[in-house]
Amino acid sequence: MHSGTTTTIQDPKNPEHVKTFTFDLAYWSHSGFQMDKDGVFISADPSGKFAGQRDVFRDLGGGILDSAWQGYNATLLAYGQTGSGKSYSMIGFGANKGLIPSVCEELFQAIENRERNQEYQVTFSMLEIYNEQVRDLLSRTKKPGGLKVREDQQLGFYVDGLKSVPCENYAQIERLMEQGTRIRTTASTNMNASSSRSHMVITIQFKQVFLDRELTKQSSINLVDLAGSERQKSSGSEGDRLREGSRVNLSLTNLGNVISALADAAMGKRVLHVPYRDSVLTKLLQSALGGNSRTTLIAAISPADICYEETLSTLRYAERAKKIRNKAVVNTSTLMRESRTENNKLLLGCGNSSMAGQPACLLAEHGLGPHADPMSWAHQLEQARKEWQQQYVAIARERQMTETLPHLLNVNEDPQLTGVLKYFIQPGSCDAGQATSNAITLHGLGISEKHASFTNLDGKVTVTPHSKCKVVVNGVPITTATKLQHLDRIILGSNSAYLYIGFPSERGSDDLSRFDYDFFQLERAAAEGVSVDKLGAVISGDGKADPSVLAVFQDYIKLMPLVAEANQMSEELGKGLKMELKVKNLALSDSRGYDLQKEVMVKVTNQRTHEVWIWSKAKFINRKFLMEELYQRFLDGEDSHNVAQEDDPFWDPLEVIHLGSAHIWLQSLAYCMKLEEQVEFLNCDGLEEAVLHIHISPCSPTGQACGEEDVVIDPLELLGKRMDFQIRIVRCLGAKWLKEDAERGVQIGYRIYDLPNTLYTKPVWKTVNPQIEETVQFTALNASQEFLNYLQTNALIVDLWGLQEGCAERSCCEPDLMTTGEGHIMVDTKKISTVMDTGKSTSNQISELYLKLLKLEQETELLRNINRALREENVLLKASLEKTGSSQQAHKPSNTLKVTGMTEQLPAARDINQVCSQQASYDREFAKALKVFYQSMNMARGQFLRLRLYKPPEDDQMLRPFVHQQSQMLKDFGDLLESSLWKLKNDVTLIVKKKRECLLRVE
């Protein structure tokens, strides 16, 4: 943010892509600040660009108050993704008060300084919208299905039965906000709903009565904290058949549609319909968005590069909303009304706190609707005072108990809701659970009627789980009585987190803020053995871990509690599903051995049928929303079992599951040597899933295996020549997938070099060690340099796929693959493909002719080779015949002179022939030595891969055997390397020695 009005955003993946947005105001509050003596964040440099809460209130809060005093309706909306600072801007944290408390406080200060011939009436209401249901946050009674939104011809949309409390000072509004936050926290626990998925609305009705002029002015101030904007995306997760099913995301989606329609109308486009009625939120915001209100939008954005897409989306959203124009009028109760048109202001802000986003809503008139009780203002105040007296007594009693008794403080994902609920542990023994008969009544997923007992005796507190109830202390599950220490972390059920506050004697000046929701989840993950190191973070020279692994770790931590909650819902609804987090590509690498990008996924298993699904992160989050809706219907007493299969978030059609991958290095093929291996299929955890038996053999065009005499010393000898080889999948041994359920099946797939499609074997069912026995022959008509490099540096990746009864098998046919005349699959076809593509534009006959020419060229080359071999054999035969003829002439006495001459020349000829034959023999021996060396190197590579993936056990007692076994493996690996090099050195030395002796003899 280079100025007070512009925001520039740069794509971290493409730095040259820069976009600039202009708004009425732009605030930077991410860095450049310090804390003053009161704990308020102020700019570290007087000339710096940091904007604190006071700056935001000065610019925005003042305008809201001015509108209220003039009699205009005023609305403030906070929009942005979860964690971007919406709630921080609206509510604030600690000494850094947000807009809502600051506006209320300033309003009452101004009232105290006004003339006494006027009467001021202020009422306060607070509600939230979650899953299209409205909940009154000032009422302790919960109405099934929530409050109803009704419509009146004069008032428009309003919430029927919403409680609106008269207030005489700011302290009362503070108490009401605390009360609303407490009820909101309890409701979110009961519904298992994060506050970042609901909208919160505070409405202040401000009425000015001018006694001397018989005139009233009335203003409705609506302060709206919207749900996290990224939730819209989750419902559109790719590959999810239920992507449009969740009502959790409906209201924000519809809000976007309304803003788009109003923006189009403001630009002069024809708009037939503005969809206010499509959601509860847009109904209640109708006046604020397109009617009688001065409206301000705060768009909160995050500076993190991983939030780029979401931030860009938020900026575009705000830019669209900025085009809307409202017509606000003064609300008076006399016949002569002031009226003026006011442009709608929209401003942009950027928060600096990772507060979770929350909810919003609008009320008409007094927020009571047409059937409001026509009590006088004095009567309303009198009733409110009586309620205040009761609350003051309760507040004083709670404060006294907090100072004297040990207690539990709730810890919520939303920092605004953390520390709101307190559960006191009285002397003696007290039960905790869902039942109202317990001394401590708790709510939340996985909490039983009687979940645990807390005992407060002799200055110490212990917690004891009931039966098999889940209780976790400091990240570790417990089953017996456990003594609690001050600031211990307790998780009850699936994910209800509490911080234990000990006796007053144990307490000090503790910073409780560090024990936030993330602290609990990180501690839980560490206890379960999940860490950055386990996920394979590569520490760079500067000591920092791989950013991609850190991102995966954060996703893992974020999803851990969600998976626990989903499992609990599955259990209570009788769905029989078990979900567990996995990291995709944790131990897998590409064809060159480089680590693949890691990502979190969720493995879902039906414990009754053993059916398995793999869900992406986005798909799981979407399903979690839908599960919550179904679970809420179950809690409300509806029949949750009467759900059509296609609408059930716990069900999906069966699919093929990727079980693991095996790497077969192709270096030996570059030297025309056969390769026969048994390699492990490694799953995403780096563990053995099965063993693959595979043969890769160079062969002739007719499929006959090449012999030792075909081995080449330098792969460049194959450049430009025809190469044929066969890949034979023999069998798959010991597949865990098949051991778990005998009714399952497997398929194996692989793709080599530039093949456009993956080749799959035929499916094999109900066999633990399936015999595959499938052979495919490949042909490179003109082996290119790129193909030979590929063989020397890459591996063939073979994937193992798990089949389930009823799922669609992988296609075994070979579509769109080029084949030779013999029916072999062609690889290394870039040159051919180029010619064929060119041919298509003119005539298909050209490409066919080119293929025929290539084939003729190969056959001609083959004939040349045969002819060359025959010529060499002919020379040898001729020499042999000459020797035979010479020896016969030696017995004739009449030719003594000639015999003598021939006899003198025979040893030289014999030596030359001997040198030629020995030279060929040495080359064969050298090639054979190289072959043995490459085979031993393949074995060494396999041993090294096993060593790298050999992880230490979690059980300390198994550490000694592990170290011993690892030492033995290292010794074997070293011995293999040493013996291979020693043998190669000896073989080469022997060959060189023989060759030198032979040459010396000739000389």
Side-chain angles (χ1 to χ4, degrees):
M1 293 178 177
H2 303 294
S3 72
T5 57
T6 59
T7 300
T8 301
I9 182 169
Q10 184 182 54
D11 188 345
K13 294 179 181 175
N14 299 294
E16 67 277 5
H17 290 176
V18 177
K19 297 181 183 296
T20 300
F21 297 84
T22 303
F23 299 95
D24 296 295
L25 291 167
Y27 298 108
W28 177 266
S29 53
H30 173 60
S31 59
F33 61 90
Q34 63 185 18
M35 189 184 294
D36 67 8
K37 58 183 178 59
D38 298 321
V40 177
F41 296 130
I42 59 173
S43 179
D45 179 5
S47 61
K49 60 180 179 178
F50 172 77
Q53 296 282 58
R54 291 173 180 171
D55 300 309
V56 177
F57 174 73
R58 183 190 64 238
D59 295 335
L60 304 185
I64 292 170
L65 288 171
D66 288 344
S67 296
W69 283 107
Q70 292 175 44
Y72 291 101
N73 291 337
T75 302
L76 178 64
L77 299 164
Y79 178 89
Q81 75 179 108
T82 302
S84 60
K86 296 188 310 299
S87 298
Y88 178 77
S89 298
M90 296 296 280
I91 306 293
F93 194 76
N96 295 278
K97 290 183 180 178
L99 281 165
I100 294 176
S102 297
V103 164
C104 296
E105 188 173 18
E106 285 288 324
L107 178 63
F108 279 105
Q109 283 181 3
I111 288 173
E112 289 177 7
N113 298 327
R114 288 278 170 158
E115 299 175 12
R116 293 303 167 193
N117 62 341
Q118 297 176 16
E119 182 181 289
Y120 302 100
Q121 301 175 7
V122 178
T123 60
F124 181 93
S125 62
M126 188 175 181
L127 63 81
E128 78 170 339
I129 304 169
Y130 174 75
N131 197 20
E132 290 298 281
Q133 293 187 8
V134 178
R135 179 175 179 84
D136 187 350
L137 294 178
L138 300 183
S139 173
R140 297 184 183 278
T141 58
K142 180 191 173 186
K143 190 173 181 181
L147 300 178
K148 301 300 179 186
V149 176
R150 305 196 185 280
E151 187 177 12
D152 181 78
Q153 287 185 350
Q154 293 180 334
L155 301 177
F157 292 106
Y158 67 95
V159 179
D160 189 19
L162 184 69
K163 186 174 182 179
S164 190
V165 180
C167 298
E168 294 180 285
N169 52 55
Y170 171 65
Q172 291 177 347
I173 283 186
E174 269 192 316
R175 295 282 177 267
L176 287 172
M177 288 175 65
E178 288 176 11
Q179 179 185 330
T181 305
R182 186 186 296 261
I183 291 173
R184 189 181 188 200
T185 307
T186 306
S188 69
T189 305
N190 292 347
M191 293 192 299
N192 183 43
S194 167
S195 62
S196 63
R197 296 202 299 276
S198 62
H199 314 283
M200 184 188 72
V201 175
I202 287 175
T203 300
I204 299 163
Q205 295 290 343
F206 176 50
K207 189 173 184 179
Q208 306 170 65
V209 181
F210 299 92
L211 301 174
D212 54 347
R213 290 187 287 166
E214 296 184 355
L215 176 72
T216 64
K217 282 185 182 180
Q218 184 163 302
S219 174
S220 179
I221 305 172
N222 302 285
L223 306 167
V224 184
D225 191 359
L226 295 168
S229 59
E230 77 284 351
R231 301 299 175 178
Q232 298 173 91
K233 282 188 177 178
S234 298
S235 67
S237 56
E238 293 182 12
D240 192 352
R241 62 187 177 84
L242 295 176
R243 58 185 176 274
E244 299 300 332
S246 176
R247 291 192 298 165
V248 172
N249 306 288
L250 177 66
S251 52
L252 266 187
T253 304
N254 287 335
L255 178 60
N257 295 337
V258 167
I259 286 177
S260 292
L262 291 172
D264 287 344
M267 297 296 289
K269 296 181 181 179
R270 187 183 178 191
V271 176
L272 298 176
H273 172 64
V274 180
Y276 290 116
R277 297 175 179 273
D278 288 358
S279 71
V280 169
L281 177 68
T282 48
K283 284 179 184 177
L284 297 176
L285 287 178
Q286 180 174 3
S287 175
L289 291 172
N292 180 24
S293 176
R294 289 179 170 179
T295 301
T296 301
L297 173 70
I298 295 178
I301 56 177
S302 167
D305 57 0
I306 59 171
C307 300
Y308 171 75
E309 294 294 339
E310 198 61 56
T311 297
L312 186 60
S313 172
T314 300
L315 291 172
R316 285 172 173 163
Y317 194 96
E319 187 178 49
R320 201 161 62 244
K322 190 183 175 206
K323 297 173 183 175
I324 301 172
R325 293 289 179 266
N326 281 358
K327 293 182 179 180
V329 297
V330 173
N331 303 304
T332 62
S333 60
T334 62
L335 293 176
M336 294 181 63
R337 291 173 177 261
E338 287 182 77
S339 180
R340 56 187 282 202
T341 302
E342 182 70 22
N343 281 346
N344 180 28
K345 292 182 181 178
L346 292 129
L347 306 100
L348 174 70
C350 177
N352 72 334
S353 173
S354 58
M355 302 294 175
Q358 286 133 323
C361 160
L362 251 169
L363 306 174
E365 274 303 300
H366 291 285
L368 301 172
H371 307 295
D373 185 8
M375 287 190 295
S376 68
W377 177 249
H379 191 197
Q380 291 181 48
L381 276 180
E382 186 60 34
Q383 279 196 342
R385 287 191 186 109
K386 290 178 182 178
E387 291 182 14
W388 284 118
Q389 289 300 324
Q390 295 173 358
Q391 287 192 29
Y392 289 145
V393 172
I395 290 167
R397 184 168 175 269
E398 183 181 282
R399 188 178 292 116
Q400 182 184 7
M401 293 172 72
T402 302
E403 292 171 357
T404 56
L405 291 175
H407 55 277
L408 303 176
L409 277 180
N410 79 300
V411 177
N412 195 285
E413 184 181 5
D414 182 355
Q416 300 283 353
L417 306 187
T418 291
V420 173
L421 305 179
K422 299 181 182 69
Y423 299 103
F424 298 98
I425 303 171
Q426 302 280 359
S429 182
C430 59
D431 290 330
Q434 294 265 22
T436 53
S437 58
N438 293 318
I440 299 176
T441 304
L442 300 173
H443 299 282
L445 267 174
I447 294 182
S448 306
E449 291 293 303
K450 286 194 180 297
H451 196 88
S453 293
F454 290 89
T455 306
N456 178 356
L457 285 176
D458 302 326
K460 67 178 183 179
V461 174
T462 58
V463 58
T464 309
H466 281 216
S467 184
K468 296 182 179 179
C469 295
K470 298 174 186 174
V471 178
V472 175
V473 177
N474 299 336
V476 180
I478 63 168
T479 54
T480 58
T482 302
K483 182 184 176 184
L484 295 178
Q485 303 288 341
H486 177 55
L487 300 182
D488 273 353
R489 283 76 58 201
I490 303 170
I491 298 177
L492 303 176
S494 299
N495 197 36
S496 297
Y498 302 94
L499 184 66
Y500 170 70
I501 306 298
F503 292 93
S505 58
E506 299 177 273
R507 304 174 198 172
S509 55
D510 305 302
D511 179 17
L512 303 185
S513 63
R514 68 188 184 96
F515 298 106
D516 58 6
Y517 185 81
D518 287 343
F519 187 99
F520 276 66
Q521 302 308 328
L522 286 167
E523 186 175 58
R524 195 176 186 178
E528 293 178 9
V530 179
S531 65
V532 175
D533 292 336
K534 184 180 177 183
L535 295 181
V538 178
I539 305 297
S540 58
D542 56 5
K544 294 180 180 179
D546 183 353
S548 63
V549 176
L550 289 174
V552 169
F553 180 63
Q554 291 299 326
D555 282 344
Y556 196 101
I557 297 301
K558 178 183 175 183
L559 291 183
M560 272 183 62
L562 303 185
V563 168
E565 291 167 1
N567 279 328
Q568 186 63 40
M569 287 189 281
S570 169
E571 184 180 327
E572 292 187 33
L573 293 172
K575 297 295 182 179
L577 294 189
K578 181 187 178 184
M579 291 161 237
E580 53 186 323
L581 279 172
K582 298 285 183 183
V583 180
K584 186 179 180 182
N585 301 329
L586 177 61
L588 301 184
S589 53
D590 65 10
S591 62
R592 290 179 177 270
Y594 300 132
D595 287 342
L596 292 169
Q597 184 75 30
K598 298 171 177 59
E599 58 182 288
V600 177
M601 59 187 182
V602 179
K603 181 182 178 183
V604 184
T605 307
N606 188 317
Q607 294 176 300
R608 292 191 292 266
T609 63
H610 304 292
E611 296 166 343
V612 176
W613 298 267
I614 300 294
W615 288 350
S616 66
K617 170 190 164 186
K619 182 173 180 178
F620 168 73
I621 290 175
N622 183 50
R623 288 301 177 91
K624 173 73 165 39
F625 293 161
L626 298 167
M627 291 173 190
E628 287 172 12
E629 292 180 18
L630 187 63
Y631 184 71
Q632 188 59 43
R633 283 156 56 187
F634 165 72
L635 293 181
D636 291 341
E638 296 182 29
D639 184 8
S640 60
H641 297 285
N642 190 21
V643 179
Q645 191 178 61
E646 59 271 15
D647 297 327
D648 188 353
F650 290 92
W651 179 84
D652 245 0
L654 286 175
E655 56 190 23
V656 179
I657 303 297
H658 183 257
L659 302 177
S661 298
H663 285 53
I664 297 92
W665 294 93
L666 299 170
Q667 193 174 23
S668 60
L669 198 58
Y671 295 89
C672 281
M673 292 192 295
K674 181 181 178 181
L675 176 69
E676 179 179 349
E677 281 206 83
Q678 287 194 351
V679 291
E680 298 170 326
F681 281 112
L682 298 178
N683 60 24
C684 67
D685 294 323
L687 303 175
E688 181 186 306
E689 181 67 31
V691 174
L692 169 70
H693 189 185
I694 186 171
H695 293 181
I696 300 180
S697 313
C699 62
S700 67
T702 58
Q704 187 175 355
C706 294
E708 289 185 3
E709 64 280 0
D710 298 301
V711 173
V712 298
I713 297 173
D714 187 350
L716 286 175
E717 294 180 38
L718 302 171
L719 185 63
K721 296 182 179 179
R722 172 167 177 158
M723 278 186 69
D724 285 86
F725 58 94
Q726 293 180 344
I727 296 179
R728 178 184 167 211
I729 307 289
V730 183
R731 64 177 66 87
C732 176
L733 302 169
K736 292 180 183 177
W737 172 258
L738 299 171
K739 289 178 182 177
E740 290 170 2
D741 188 345
E743 298 300 310
R744 292 171 173 171
V746 292
Q747 265 185 294
I748 292 174
Y750 60 92
R751 184 167 66 180
I752 190 164
Y753 195 47
D754 58 357
L755 282 189
N757 304 102
T758 301
L759 303 178
Y760 293 98
T761 62
K762 291 177 183 176
V764 181
W765 294 85
K766 305 177 184 180
T767 310
V768 176
N769 297 311
Q771 195 80 14
I772 309 294
E773 291 295 350
E774 287 196 21
T775 303
V776 179
Q777 184 161 330
F778 299 89
T779 300
L781 292 178
N782 272 312
S784 66
Q785 183 67 60
E786 291 84 359
F787 181 60
L788 294 175
N789 291 342
Y790 164 81
L791 293 180
Q792 293 176 81
T793 57
N794 286 51
L796 175 70
I797 297 181
V798 183
D799 292 310
L800 181 64
W801 296 88
L803 304 176
Q804 308 176 77
E805 195 170 351
C807 74
E809 299 170 350
R810 298 279 175 176
S811 174
C812 302
C813 62
E814 300 164 3
D816 304 325
L817 294 180
M818 297 174 64
T819 56
T820 63
E822 303 95 334
H824 308 324
I825 296 173
M826 291 170 63
V827 293
D828 195 16
T829 56
K830 286 182 182 177
K831 188 186 293 183
I832 298 172
S833 301
T834 304
V835 173
M836 287 184 70
D837 290 341
T838 307
K840 282 176 185 176
S841 61
T842 55
S843 171
N844 289 332
Q845 295 176 353
I846 297 177
S847 59
E848 291 173 11
L849 182 62
Y850 182 80
L851 285 173
K852 287 178 182 177
L853 284 171
L854 275 178
K855 191 173 179 182
L856 283 170
E857 210 175 283
Q858 294 301 317
E859 289 174 356
T860 305
E861 181 64 27
L862 184 63
L863 286 171
R864 283 200 198 99
N865 290 337
I866 293 170
N867 190 33
R868 197 179 296 115
L870 287 171
R871 199 182 300 119
E872 289 173 0
E873 192 175 341
N874 192 31
V875 169
L876 289 171
L877 284 170
K878 189 176 180 182
S880 179
L881 284 170
E882 285 177 359
K883 288 183 208 173
T884 307
S886 300
S887 61
Q888 286 175 353
Q889 288 176 10
H891 297 290
K892 295 181 181 179
S894 57
N895 287 333
T896 308
L897 183 62
K898 285 184 180 180
V899 169
T900 305
M902 287 292 292
T903 309
E904 288 174 354
Q905 291 176 7
L906 273 174
R910 196 182 304 117
D911 287 345
I912 290 168
N913 289 332
Q914 190 175 357
V915 167
C916 291
S917 61
Q918 284 181 344
Q919 180 69 34
S921 173
Y922 297 147
D923 288 345
R924 280 195 297 273
E925 286 183 30
F926 186 62
K928 190 174 180 180
L930 278 177
K931 177 183 175 182
V932 172
F933 179 69
Y934 285 132
Q935 286 175 338
S936 62
M937 283 299 98
N938 274 327
M939 290 174 62
R941 184 185 284 112
Q943 284 197 15
F944 179 72
L945 188 61
R946 281 191 289 275
L947 260 174
R948 196 178 74 170
L949 299 171
Y950 196 45
K951 303 292 183 184
E954 295 180 2
D955 187 357
D956 291 344
Q957 294 180 352
M958 299 300 293
L959 199 56
R960 189 182 295 276
F962 167 80
V963 172
H964 174 74
Q965 191 170 357
Q966 192 180 49
S967 300
Q968 187 61 44
M969 289 173 71
L970 280 168
K971 183 177 179 301
D972 293 344
F973 178 64
D975 291 346
L976 180 60
L977 274 179
E978 194 175 333
S979 63
S980 300
L981 291 169
W982 179 84
K983 183 164 181 20
L984 180 66
K985 182 181 174 182
N986 276 9
D987 288 346
V988 172
T989 304
L990 189 61
I991 293 167
V992 170
K993 185 180 177 182
K994 287 181 179 178
K995 200 167 184 178
R996 282 178 179 169
E997 289 175 353
C998 179
L999 290 171
L1000 284 171
R1001 279 203 310 273
V1002 171
E1003 289 173 2

